[in-house]
Amino acid sequence: MIDKILEFIKEYINPALDVHGGLLTVEYFDEETGELFVKMGGACQGCAASSQTLHQQVKACLIDEFPSITNLIDTTNHSDGSNPFYKEQ
């Protein structure tokens, strides 16, 4: 299951996030609870709209494709880095 989720994120989610310089990585999938622990990077780390993006678009897309996912848990430290609201060049 996790390989299919990773492939879907690589093929569909990350290209969409990359338009704004962002990306999503999977930290862990708890098959027992269905919780997918993810980390947002690039321009998504610290972005004011990252929570909305994650929970309204990404979550909906992933749950639609993988009904066994029950929730997304954001493990991102959005305040980390020298300038977390902009993609570092």
Side-chain angles (χ1 to χ4, degrees):
M1 170 66 96
I2 189 66
D3 290 336
K4 290 180 181 181
I5 294 170
L6 294 171
E7 185 66 25
F8 186 81
I9 289 171
K10 178 183 171 184
E11 295 291 322
Y12 297 100
I13 304 294
N14 279 339
L17 294 176
D18 187 49
V19 170
H20 295 279
L23 66 106
L24 185 77
T25 57
V26 173
E27 299 287 306
Y28 175 71
F29 178 57
D30 186 333
E31 292 186 33
E32 194 170 301
T33 66
E35 293 178 315
L36 183 66
F37 294 79
V38 297
K39 189 176 208 176
M40 301 182 86
C44 289
Q45 186 229 349
C47 175
S50 64
S51 180
Q52 181 180 9
T53 299
L54 184 66
H55 293 289
Q56 291 183 359
Q57 283 112 9
V58 174
K59 181 179 178 180
C61 189
L62 283 168
I63 288 175
D64 185 52
E65 186 71 21
F66 304 99
S68 61
I69 296 175
T70 60
N71 196 18
L72 292 188
I73 307 296
D74 187 5
T75 64
T76 311
N77 181 350
H78 288 281
S79 63
D80 192 27
S82 59
N83 195 358
F85 296 94
Y86 298 97
K87 180 179 179 184
E88 293 185 25
Q89 301 294 328

